[in-house]
Amino acid sequence: MCDATDELTITEPPKLHVAPAGHSRAGHRAFGWCSACPGREVWEELLAWRTRDNKAVGESSAPDRVPHPSREVEAVSADG
C-alpha cells in the first residue's frame, strides 16, 4: 500500500541557475561567481573548485605542491 497522493506537493518552481553570457553556469551555481566576473581571476575559480572537491572527499587543505623544488629540478635548472 502506498501513502502517496496523486496531488503535486511541490509549491516552489525548480531553481534555474543562470549566469551572464560568457560566464560559467557551474561556477555561478556552486559559488555565486566565476572567473569571468569582474574582479575575479581564473586561479581563484580553480582554487575554489579544488577546495570544494577536497572537502567532498575529506582531504585536507594542504597544498598540491611541495613548498620548494626537488633536488632533481634544481640540478636541471642549474645545468640550463
Side-chain angles (χ1 to χ4, degrees), residues 7-41:
E7 189 176 320
L8 184 61
T9 57
I10 299 172
T11 57
E12 63 184 56
K15 191 173 196 175
L16 295 175
H17 296 283
V18 295
H23 288 241
S24 166
R25 280 194 327 219
H28 278 265
R29 180 175 52 248
F31 314 115
W33 54 272
C34 74
S35 60
C37 289
R40 296 290 184 165
E41 296 187 23

Side-chain angles (χ1 to χ4, degrees), residues 25-76:
R25 280 194 327 219
H28 278 265
R29 180 175 52 248
F31 314 115
W33 54 272
C34 74
S35 60
C37 289
R40 296 290 184 165
E41 296 187 23
V42 173
W43 69 265
E44 292 175 293
E45 186 174 358
L46 176 60
L47 180 63
W49 282 112
R50 284 183 175 180
T51 303
R52 181 178 185 251
D53 187 56
N54 286 344
K55 283 182 184 177
V57 296
E59 278 192 23
S60 70
S61 59
D64 290 342
R65 298 183 182 163
V66 294
H68 54 83
S70 68
R71 291 183 189 142
E72 292 84 8
V73 171
E74 289 175 347
V76 169

